Amino acid sequence: MRLSRYFLPTLKETPHEAQIVSHQLMLRAGMIRQASAGIYNWLPLGHAVMQNIEQIVREEQNRAGANELLMPTIQSAELWRQSGRYEDYGKEMLRVRDRHDREMLYGPTNEELITDIFKSGAKSYRDVPALLYQFQWKFRDEVRPRFGVMRGREFLMKDCYSFDADYEGAMAAYRKMFVAYLRTFARMNLKAIPVEAESGPIGGNLSHEFCVLADTGETELFTHRDLIDYDILDRPVDYDTDLRSIVDYWTSHYARTDDTHEQAVFEEQVPADQRVQRRGIEVGHIFYFGTKYSEPLEAYISTREGESVPVHMGSYGIGVSRLVGAIIEAFHDEAGIIWPESVAPFRVGLVNIRSTDSDCRATCDDLHERLQDAGISVLYDDTDESPGAKFAQMDLIGLPWQIVVGPRGVQAGTVELKHRATGERQELSPESALAKLMA
Amino acid sequence: MRLSRYFLPTLKETPHEAQIVSHQLMLRAGMIRQASAGIYNWLPLGHAVMQNIEQIVREEQNRAGANELLMPTIQSAELWRQSGRYEDYGKEMLRVRDRHDREMLYGPTNEELITDIFKSGAKSYRDVPALLYQFQWKFRDEVRPRFGVMRGREFLMKDCYSFDADYEGAMAAYRKMFVAYLRTFARMNLKAIPVEAESGPIGGNLSHEFCVLADTGETELFTHRDLIDYDILDRPVDYDTDLRSIVDYWTSHYARTDDTHEQAVFEEQVPADQRVQRRGIEVGHIFYFGTKYSEPLEAYISTREGESVPVHMGSYGIGVSRLVGAIIEAFHDEAGIIWPESVAPFRVGLVNIRSTDSDCRATCDDLHERLQDAGISVLYDDTDESPGAKFAQMDLIGLPWQIVVGPRGVQAGTVELKHRATGERQELSPESALAKLMA
């Protein structure tokens, strides 16, 4: 992609309304623009990152056996009255009346609707277990939306729902999502720690929050070094097997946020040299809530013995738009963002530092074409900005690799390959630079 | 994908509320369920088709040089007052007040917001041409929503917007989208005819509707056989060249719907043996409207000469959720849907007609794995339904190919490969069936 054809309105100054680093960097890097309070436009660079995150989440949901579907944003109030949550949600719920004066709402979450969908299509034990998920925008009308996409009003969430005949089945689903979440965040280079949590307005009996480590995070996290060191991607997971041992390993170690932390328990359970205290950000939340929705909404199935029972349910959320901010909180420096390769909007930034020079242009055009042919996504700065402005912008937007092409190098047959995360630079022939990126 | 693990609640009866064939088949095939009037849940099968359509549209937008971004669904009323459309839209616009009593709305289209985005990031002639697009849900509060996803209230649209320094630039953008639309629909096996059209509430000076042929379509279309026979995919398109000759070819032939058709003009311009009268469905609409939004919203850029001018704009829509219905209207028979391969939710249906037989199961399991390994998407009916029910369901959901595995064939070392569109069946070894699908 040529920068001259890409809509990337970066900013030189940090907008003063942005208090946290991810909000500042997303505005400066031309990833988002505020549309109204707590509601954002996702510009091409920000949208590309969000799509990459979404795709990782999708692949791991599918791997765990979940089916993707899509529910509408605007729902009828009716089901919410049946579940008893229509009044509970208070002013956070965006309520609407349509032209026929029917009460509607913008879904803040979807337990009611998915229960109704399951009920309309499932009758018996043959139809469970079922895991259904979607990516859909939600609206929660926060009093004071802030911190950019970290606490916006309109936000993208992956929400998955499980349906099982009994408690044991529901626990198996819960464990699948538990493991799928660990894998999902690990694929984004994030270290996620599951923390036992309160259920809040979703309700229920068992719940874990997933906090990812980030020095600038909002939450204080206390845990055992073993959890920090555990690499879930080290071994393949078979979701058809019992996942109890993995989940038990994680839940048997101390892991709490400042909400529930008890220093005495921490010190009793974790040896001093294993204690870890770090900042974190909540990016996922899983719930088991049994028959809380299936009973009032009458989602019953017949068992093998012919008995009619309400299904046992759980729900499993990941804040997709929030993750964009969380990843920046975890990976940035003074100069800007440092994207993990798996979510980077482009893998390579190609910088022509003298675009009026025909040799530089020929070298860049050729590298651009060969990178694209090799399936390596590249943003090619072909503009006539100054070298300093180009370098600063590339560091700001944080692509994992930069190839810098200048007249002196081109004379000598070399380009500079820079690794954004380490700052390491190498003078190489264009061929060697390509080979390194393809390795 | 094993059917036993896939949420596919097909119906045996045609729901009486569905009047047109696409609505009937989408309900019966377990693709959608109504959530409330004119608002649908997209179940896994329907969602998979919509994703495939979206991906084709995306690839062709990108090829034409458009940048993908994403605007929110909920917008402030403010910009709509500036453009003068806040009152114009009447009751079709879903209006909302947030908790602070601010006037908001659910976007029925996005000219105002995108103009504001462009304005915030673009200053001069260097920032044009720009083509920005998104896939986002829209809401239009129709008085009587009907025909399923063909005229729903919440619907998915691809909307693209062009920004240019002058009329000539805007025309070049218009031609790019004109050609991109022809390619997009052709890739879905649809024959699209661009028809000069009224601009309606978008406003403007020039506009074409894209109608795709379907015998059960809503619109009567009159055109020249040359347009029906023209295959846009026959030759590659270079969007950096002048596309005038392609567009002129299309617009120089008679093509009108019953709205604007004049029989005398038709007979004068088209020889009798070249006249074509067919049914069609509108699936896309492109507009050039000059400075209608850039002037009131003050989106000005400076020219090379330092003059400040309002940008010339166009907008370009494709009804993505509507296309799912339109494709079914174009491709179905008595037994159900017949998906074109490019949008099919799975390419192959694998039917085990005796799932209790261990040889049948072994053959199917092996085929399932080998198809997946070859990257061929497959829905494997591993349930214990009767053969008749399985055949009927496979025909209903319309996957392009079926592989039927039964005990007699397995004894003889053969399976049956059926082509859904032609009904053609062949007895083949499993290896030959695989080879045919991979060819």
Side-chain angles (χ1 to χ4, degrees):
Chain A
M1 173 67 72
R2 285 172 186 268
L3 184 57
S4 60
R5 298 175 173 204
Y6 194 66
F7 188 70
L8 183 68
T10 53
L11 306 175
K12 290 204 178 57
E13 308 291 322
T14 299
H16 56 84
E17 77 267 25
Q19 296 164 35
I20 62 170
V21 69
S22 60
H23 191 191
Q24 291 167 353
L25 287 172
M26 288 180 78
L27 290 169
R28 282 189 55 209
M31 294 177 64
I32 54 168
R33 281 288 178 276
Q34 183 172 296
S36 32
I39 304 181
Y40 291 88
N41 298 303
W42 290 80
L43 305 187
L45 197 78
H47 186 251
V49 174
M50 191 157 62
Q51 276 183 313
N52 292 341
I53 291 173
E54 185 175 314
Q55 186 56 23
I56 291 174
V57 176
R58 172 176 292 121
E59 286 169 12
E60 295 301 325
Q61 291 289 295
N62 291 345
R63 197 191 299 265
N67 293 171
E68 186 172 358
L69 47 59
L70 187 64
M71 291 173 267
T73 58
I74 299 295
Q75 310 177 9
S76 158
E78 211 172 298
L79 291 170
W80 289 74
R81 290 198 195 285
Q82 266 176 266
S83 74
R85 285 207 295 180
Y86 189 61
E87 300 309 331
D88 289 3
Y89 247 91
K91 291 196 164 179
E92 271 205 11
M93 186 186 269
L94 193 69
R95 291 155 213 262
V96 195
R97 280 175 187 273
D98 73 5
R99 67 187 299 160
H100 300 298
D101 212 33
R102 281 177 294 223
E103 287 178 304
M104 313 285 288
L105 56 93
Y106 198 121
T109 174
N110 282 358
E111 281 77 11
E112 284 79 358
L113 198 47
I114 196 77
T115 304
D116 196 54
I117 291 170
F118 177 80
K119 171 186 166 180
S120 81
K123 302 293 167 227
S124 81
Y125 63 92
R126 282 195 207 86
D127 301 314
V128 294
L131 274 168
L132 303 173
Y133 79 100
Q134 68 169 354
F135 294 92
Q136 182 58 291
W137 291 84
K138 313 282 186 292
F139 203 97
R140 291 186 193 162
D141 202 357
E142 304 258 356
V143 191
R144 279 181 300 118
R146 58 192 183 283
F147 307 145
V149 302
M150 301 292 284
R151 194 165 302 177
R153 294 199 289 168
E154 188 169 327
F155 58 96
L156 183 60
M157 201 167 148
K158 184 284 299 178
D159 41 327
C160 181
Y161 303 88
S162 65
F163 301 88
D164 286 276
D166 52 28
Y167 173 80
E168 258 319 307
M171 283 301 107
Y174 192 91
R175 288 191 287 266
K176 283 185 187 180
M177 285 296 128
F178 192 106
V179 173
Y181 276 34
L182 290 172
R183 285 184 52 88
T184 300
F185 301 125
R187 285 187 57 191
M188 300 170 196
N189 280 27
L190 295 168
K191 172 57 68 183
I193 306 292
V195 177
E196 209 169 327
E198 298 296 320
S199 300
I202 307 288
N205 318 85
L206 175 62
S207 163
H208 282 87
E209 269 176 28
F210 286 74
C211 281
V212 295
L213 301 186
D215 291 342
T216 48
E218 66 204 348
T219 300
E220 198 72 31
L221 189 78
F222 303 84
T223 190
H224 193 294
R225 187 168 306 283
D226 281 359
L227 297 189
I228 307 283
D229 293 342
Y230 188 106
D231 187 349
I232 189 79
L233 299 179
D234 263 358
R235 62 210 98 177
V237 171
D238 180 351
Y239 285 98
D240 288 334
T241 61
D242 188 351
L243 302 171
R244 210 173 305 232
S245 64
I246 303 177
V247 174
D248 285 354
Y249 180 85
W250 284 86
T251 54
S252 62
H253 286 79
Y254 189 95
R256 298 200 194 169
T257 62
D258 36 11
D259 281 352
T260 52
H261 174 63
E262 291 171 275
Q263 189 65 25
V265 181
F266 188 42
E267 289 176 9
E268 184 196 311
Q269 292 188 1
V270 184
D273 61 340
Q274 301 294 308
R275 284 176 213 143
V276 177
Q277 179 176 352
R278 297 278 291 275
R279 306 292 293 178
I281 299 169
E282 191 212 325
V283 290
H285 206 153
I286 64 177
F287 302 90
Y288 163 69
F289 43 71
T291 60
K292 177 177 157 74
Y293 299 93
S294 56
E295 288 198 67
L297 297 171
E298 297 172 4
Y300 283 69
I301 54 170
S302 60
T303 64
R304 209 176 281 268
E305 293 74 34
E307 198 191 345
S308 181
V309 297
V311 285
H312 285 247
M313 292 175 56
S315 72
Y316 313 90
I318 290 180
V320 176
S321 46
R322 174 171 242 255
L323 262 171
V324 181
I327 291 171
I328 295 174
E329 295 288 339
F331 303 108
H332 66 271
D333 63 13
E334 285 297 302
I337 303 165
I338 304 168
W339 292 115
E341 298 227 356
S342 60
V343 304
F346 298 92
R347 194 157 161 241
V348 178
L350 174 61
V351 181
N352 184 350
I353 61 172
R354 194 171 301 165
S355 44
T356 49
D357 181 292
S358 61
D359 290 338
C360 286
R361 211 162 51 233
T363 302
C364 281
D365 288 355
D366 181 56
L367 275 168
H368 185 224
E369 199 175 320
R370 287 163 71 186
L371 284 163
Q372 288 187 318
D373 289 350
I376 296 174
S377 61
V378 50
L379 183 64
Y380 167 19
D381 188 343
D382 59 343
T383 66
D384 52 8
E385 289 291 325
S386 72
K390 290 187 177 193
F391 295 146
Q393 177 166 270
M394 272 298 168
D395 281 352
L396 173 63
I397 68 173
L399 310 184
W401 297 94
Q402 297 173 16
I403 302 179
V404 178
V405 177
R408 230 169 334 163
V410 166
Q411 289 296 316
T414 62
V415 299
E416 187 184 86
L417 181 68
K418 176 179 160 184
H419 188 233
R420 174 68 179 87
T422 58
E424 199 193 324
R425 296 157 193 269
Q426 285 179 283
E427 295 283 331
L428 296 168
S429 68
E431 283 65 33
S432 307
L434 278 172
K436 228 178 129 79
L437 291 168
M438 286 181 213
Chain B
M1 172 67 71
R2 285 170 186 268
L3 183 57
S4 60
R5 297 175 173 203
Y6 195 65
F7 189 70
L8 183 68
T10 54
L11 305 175
K12 292 204 174 56
E13 309 290 324
T14 298
H16 57 85
E17 77 268 23
Q19 296 163 36
I20 63 170
V21 69
S22 60
H23 191 191
Q24 291 167 353
L25 286 173
M26 287 179 78
L27 289 169
R28 284 189 54 209
M31 292 177 64
I32 53 169
R33 282 287 178 277
Q34 184 173 294
S36 33
I39 303 180
Y40 291 88
N41 296 304
W42 290 80
L43 305 187
L45 197 78
H47 186 250
V49 173
M50 191 157 62
Q51 277 184 312
N52 292 341
I53 291 173
E54 185 176 314
Q55 187 55 25
I56 291 173
V57 175
R58 173 176 292 123
E59 287 169 12
E60 296 300 327
Q61 291 289 297
N62 291 345
R63 196 191 300 265
N67 292 170
E68 186 172 359
L69 46 60
L70 187 65
M71 290 173 268
T73 58
I74 300 295
Q75 309 176 9
S76 158
E78 211 173 298
L79 291 171
W80 289 73
R81 292 198 194 284
Q82 268 178 265
S83 74
R85 286 208 294 181
Y86 188 60
E87 299 310 330
D88 290 2
Y89 247 91
K91 290 196 166 182
E92 272 206 11
M93 186 187 270
L94 193 70
R95 290 155 213 262
V96 195
R97 280 176 187 272
D98 74 5
R99 68 188 299 161
H100 299 297
D101 211 33
R102 281 177 294 223
E103 286 177 302
M104 313 286 288
L105 56 93
Y106 198 121
T109 174
N110 282 358
E111 281 78 10
E112 283 79 358
L113 197 47
I114 196 77
T115 304
D116 196 54
I117 291 170
F118 177 79
K119 171 186 165 181
S120 81
K123 302 292 166 228
S124 82
Y125 64 91
R126 282 195 206 85
D127 301 314
V128 293
L131 275 167
L132 302 173
Y133 79 101
Q134 68 168 355
F135 294 91
Q136 182 59 292
W137 291 85
K138 312 282 187 291
F139 202 98
R140 291 186 194 162
D141 202 357
E142 304 257 357
V143 191
R144 278 180 302 117
R146 57 191 182 284
F147 306 147
V149 301
M150 301 291 284
R151 195 165 305 177
R153 295 199 289 169
E154 188 170 327
F155 58 96
L156 183 60
M157 201 168 148
K158 183 284 300 178
D159 40 327
C160 181
Y161 304 87
S162 65
F163 302 88
D164 286 277
D166 52 28
Y167 173 81
E168 257 319 306
M171 283 301 106
Y174 193 89
R175 288 191 286 267
K176 281 184 189 182
M177 284 295 129
F178 193 104
V179 173
Y181 276 33
L182 291 173
R183 285 184 52 89
T184 300
F185 301 125
R187 285 186 57 191
M188 300 171 197
N189 281 26
L190 295 168
K191 172 58 67 182
I193 307 291
V195 177
E196 210 170 324
E198 300 295 321
S199 300
I202 306 288
N205 318 84
L206 176 62
S207 162
H208 282 87
E209 269 176 27
F210 286 73
C211 280
V212 295
L213 302 186
D215 292 342
T216 48
E218 66 205 349
T219 299
E220 198 72 30
L221 190 78
F222 303 85
T223 191
H224 193 293
R225 187 167 306 283
D226 281 0
L227 297 189
I228 307 283
D229 293 342
Y230 188 107
D231 187 349
I232 189 78
L233 299 179
D234 263 359
R235 63 209 96 177
V237 171
D238 180 350
Y239 285 99
D240 287 334
T241 61
D242 187 351
L243 303 171
R244 210 173 304 234
S245 64
I246 304 177
V247 174
D248 285 352
Y249 180 86
W250 283 86
T251 54
S252 63
H253 285 79
Y254 188 96
R256 298 198 194 170
T257 62
D258 36 12
D259 282 351
T260 53
H261 175 63
E262 292 171 273
Q263 189 64 25
V265 181
F266 188 40
E267 289 176 11
E268 186 195 309
Q269 293 187 3
V270 185
D273 62 340
Q274 301 295 307
R275 285 177 211 141
V276 177
Q277 179 175 353
R278 296 277 291 275
R279 307 292 292 179
I281 299 169
E282 191 212 326
V283 290
H285 206 152
I286 65 177
F287 303 89
Y288 163 68
F289 43 71
T291 61
K292 177 178 157 73
Y293 299 93
S294 55
E295 288 197 68
L297 297 172
E298 298 173 4
Y300 283 67
I301 55 170
S302 59
T303 65
R304 209 177 281 267
E305 293 74 33
E307 197 191 346
S308 181
V309 297
V311 284
H312 284 247
M313 292 175 56
S315 73
Y316 313 90
I318 290 180
V320 176
S321 47
R322 174 170 243 254
L323 263 172
V324 181
I327 292 171
I328 295 174
E329 295 288 339
F331 304 108
H332 67 271
D333 63 13
E334 285 298 302
I337 303 165
I338 304 169
W339 293 115
E341 298 226 358
S342 60
V343 303
F346 298 92
R347 195 158 160 238
V348 177
L350 173 62
V351 181
N352 184 350
I353 62 172
R354 195 171 300 163
S355 44
T356 50
D357 181 293
S358 62
D359 290 339
C360 286
R361 211 162 50 231
T363 302
C364 282
D365 288 356
D366 182 55
L367 275 167
H368 185 223
E369 198 175 320
R370 287 163 70 185
L371 284 163
Q372 289 188 316
D373 289 349
I376 296 174
S377 60
V378 50
L379 183 63
Y380 167 19
D381 188 343
D382 60 343
T383 67
D384 52 8
E385 289 292 324
S386 71
K390 290 186 176 192
F391 295 146
Q393 177 165 272
M394 273 297 170
D395 281 353
L396 173 64
I397 68 173
L399 309 184
W401 298 94
Q402 296 172 15
I403 301 178
V404 179
V405 177
R408 230 169 332 163
V410 165
Q411 288 297 314
T414 63
V415 298
E416 188 183 85
L417 181 67
K418 176 178 159 184
H419 187 232
R420 175 67 181 87
T422 59
E424 199 193 323
R425 295 158 193 270
Q426 285 179 280
E427 295 282 333
L428 297 167
S429 68
E431 282 66 32
S432 307
L434 278 173
K436 229 178 127 80
L437 291 168
M438 286 183 214

